[in-house]
Amino acid sequence: MLHHLWKYTYNTSKALPLEQLTRWGLHNATVVRNASTPELYEIAAMDPLSPDPETRQGSISSTGAMVAYSGRRTGRSPKDKRIVIDEHTEQEIWWGDVNIPIPKKSHNLLEQIALQFLNTRPRLFVVDGYAGWDPHSRLRIRVFCTRAYHALFMQNMLIKPTNEELKRDFSDDVDFHIFNAGPMSAPKLVEGVGSETCVSVNLTDKKMVILGTQYAGEMKKGVFGVTHYMLPKQGILTLHSSANEGVNGDVTLLFGLSGTGKTTLSADPKRKLIGDDEHGWSDYGIFNIEGGCYAKCVDLTYEKEPEIFNAVKFGAVLENVEFLNKNSREVDYHNISITENTRVSYPLDFIPGAKNPAVGSHPKNILFLTCDAYGVLPPVSLLTPEQAMYHFISGYTAKVAGTEMGVKEPVATFSACFGEAFLPLHPTLYATMLAAKMNEHGTKCWLINTGWSGGKYGIGKRMSLKNTRSIIDAIHSGELAKGEFDNFEVFNLQIPKKATGVPDQILHPKNTWTNKSEFDRTLRNLGEKFKKNFQKYQSKASQDVINAGPKI
């Protein structure tokens, strides 16, 4: 038996003060706090008490990454997320399908179930870390979990404190606690619980309980949701975006839903990566909220995404992948037999040229990426602050869905602020903050269509990556902002007349369509979809923002 090698006594330098455990009713005899990466590998791979037969914990890939499995849940469970409704949150939270209320007494019961489970495990992992690289506003997060994979994942995703910071900032209480008892199911008879999975957040008491899911992304996005609630109270705008920085220190934010090319376009060899997913915008500038990246790795190849491919090494966590060869442990990135949502988590410094610390100046440009499969939006257009608010609240892209008899049609998808699932407050609050910061710092906002040109999906062609990169280069150089513009009908957007390296005729999408009347009809139909979607936000939007939408 090897588990005694990691048993802590409470007089060690890394030990959590006993009162920090007993205050929660935790009395697990074996506490592993802020373990090193090799320690976590050893626990996961060698300890006979650690592997779970269902989740096959403990493999190591041929490139040195920890390979872990999350069991039945291989993605987030947004329908099972709950927020405690109390005298503080009742009037603050944007209640509805995104934020579902749960009574405080139910949360307290779930918390007790989670704590009892944590006490029965062979060991309890404790991970301390910061959310946010800005020392003026970063949140101190403490995670309790029972799997080495979860501990390493959160050590990657949070910002790791120095030994001095641990003593100074984590010896007493912290800003938020996560109790991850994912292997234990939630009791469905508890009021407010809808299934065996429940992610319950108490924003007033600053605690989150996870039951019935071992998917690590619940912790990452749980922290993100907490920052979306806590940081705006400090005047800090939280953003579901990537960010990079040019050689002159100019910062660009990139927003976009899945399939828009955000990951690919953020990884610009001419610019430094600040972060790939979650950021804050404070009075000091932009900062990454995370200490690492959580990238999709389905169909991952060195040729397509060399930086991510090379990041799959010792210290990274591969989630729900299969092996090409179980003897060599070579990963089969094309195998989706477990899930299409295969992932890899790794520290930010695994990416060459990533900024450390991950902070930047106030952004010069903001890019809203959309994959318009209807083929009617321009490759690039300049937005006014009011239009920026409208399109930020809309968060549009279009996906291609299969229909009967092989017919495929675009399906419009809207996600407020390009991350609706993580917003505890009304989207107009974040949009108002965005417009205010844009006006204060002279930030320009651009709508970039990476989707179709010359017709909708099935008729036209996908925008070439070369042209999109040339457009973004022209934004960064200042060329487009200084150029002349044409007005784009219905959406009332400003289209540049020229962009170096891009054919003039594609800049206005109507020029690329053979059937002009069909273009007009399709454009109007898309405008109607925007207007219908925006109706649910209009009650809290100003008339100027409502007027910034399409005119049919």
Side-chain angles (χ1 to χ4, degrees), residues 242-262:
S242 59
N244 59 31
E245 181 184 84
V247 294
N248 296 320
D250 59 296
V251 170
T252 294
L253 296 177
L254 298 93
F255 295 81
L257 302 178
S258 179
T260 59
K262 183 181 73 169

Side-chain angles (χ1 to χ4, degrees), residues 281 362-365 435-445:
W281 188 351
H362 297 288
K364 186 175 181 180
N365 291 289
K437 288 184 178 293
M438 284 177 56
N439 285 327
E440 181 180 357
H441 302 290
T443 307
K444 295 193 178 302
C445 188

Side-chain angles (χ1 to χ4, degrees), residues 206-226:
K206 301 177 181 178
K207 293 182 287 186
M208 180 168 72
V209 172
I210 299 174
L211 290 166
T213 175
Q214 298 181 63
Y215 178 66
E218 292 287 9
M219 294 182 288
K220 164 191 158 67
K221 289 305 186 185
V223 171
F224 191 35
V226 168

Side-chain angles (χ1 to χ4, degrees), residues 430-502:
Y430 305 100
T432 300
M433 293 182 70
L434 177 70
K437 288 184 178 293
M438 284 177 56
N439 285 327
E440 181 180 357
H441 302 290
T443 307
K444 295 193 178 302
C445 188
W446 307 82
L447 183 65
I448 308 286
N449 179 19
T450 63
W452 269 255
S453 176
K456 67 181 181 180
Y457 176 87
I459 298 174
K461 293 182 179 180
R462 186 82 189 255
M463 299 278 184
S464 77
L465 180 60
K466 177 178 177 293
N467 284 339
T468 300
R469 286 198 183 279
S470 294
I471 286 169
I472 294 176
D473 285 345
I475 290 172
H476 287 151
S477 71
E479 172 194 335
L480 289 196
K482 297 173 184 175
E484 296 181 345
F485 294 84
D486 285 325
N487 187 69
F488 180 62
E489 60 272 26
V490 179
F491 282 79
N492 197 32
L493 304 174
Q494 296 301 299
I495 305 174
K497 290 184 176 181
K498 289 187 175 296
T500 299
V502 181

Side-chain angles (χ1 to χ4, degrees), residues 97-141:
D97 293 339
V98 172
N99 299 301
I100 303 170
I102 189 170
K104 186 175 182 178
K105 62 180 181 180
S106 295
H107 174 92
N108 290 345
L109 179 57
L110 296 175
E111 184 179 315
Q112 288 305 309
I113 292 170
L115 294 173
Q116 289 172 16
F117 174 82
L118 296 177
N119 280 329
T120 65
R121 297 300 89 192
R123 63 179 49 80
L124 179 66
F125 295 98
V126 180
V127 177
D128 294 321
Y130 296 111
W133 281 86
D134 182 352
H136 302 91
S137 59
R138 61 190 181 186
L139 302 179
R140 299 166 300 163
I141 309 293

Side-chain angles (χ1 to χ4, degrees), residues 316-501:
V317 179
L318 278 165
E319 197 172 42
N320 297 320
V321 299
E322 290 282 23
F323 294 121
L324 269 172
N325 186 311
K326 291 189 177 180
N327 293 322
S328 70
R329 297 294 196 267
E330 183 182 353
V331 176
D332 182 359
Y333 292 113
H334 306 293
N335 188 323
I336 56 173
S337 59
I338 296 175
T339 178
E340 291 187 19
N341 189 36
T342 53
R343 294 272 182 168
V344 59
S345 160
Y346 49 87
L348 190 62
D349 60 13
F350 278 21
I351 298 296
K355 283 205 72 181
N356 189 352
V359 298
S361 61
H362 297 288
K364 186 175 181 180
N365 291 289
I366 293 173
L367 311 183
F368 292 162
L369 304 175
T370 180
C371 177
D372 176 31
Y374 296 98
V376 294
L377 289 183
V380 57
S381 51
L382 179 63
L383 305 181
T384 66
E386 293 76 20
Q387 288 175 328
M389 289 180 67
Y390 185 93
H391 286 274
F392 185 56
I393 292 171
S394 298
Y396 164 72
T397 193
K399 296 181 180 179
V400 176
T403 58
E404 292 184 11
M405 301 176 63
V407 177
K408 295 184 176 181
E409 291 291 336
V411 176
T413 300
F414 297 93
S415 180
C417 307
F418 298 93
E420 182 173 295
F422 318 119
L423 304 180
L425 307 176
H426 196 278
T428 55
L429 180 144
Y430 305 100
T432 300
M433 293 182 70
L434 177 70
K437 288 184 178 293
M438 284 177 56
N439 285 327
E440 181 180 357
H441 302 290
T443 307
K444 295 193 178 302
C445 188
W446 307 82
L447 183 65
I448 308 286
N449 179 19
T450 63
W452 269 255
S453 176
K456 67 181 181 180
Y457 176 87
I459 298 174
K461 293 182 179 180
R462 186 82 189 255
M463 299 278 184
S464 77
L465 180 60
K466 177 178 177 293
N467 284 339
T468 300
R469 286 198 183 279
S470 294
I471 286 169
I472 294 176
D473 285 345
I475 290 172
H476 287 151
S477 71
E479 172 194 335
L480 289 196
K482 297 173 184 175
E484 296 181 345
F485 294 84
D486 285 325
N487 187 69
F488 180 62
E489 60 272 26
V490 179
F491 282 79
N492 197 32
L493 304 174
Q494 296 301 299
I495 305 174
K497 290 184 176 181
K498 289 187 175 296
T500 299

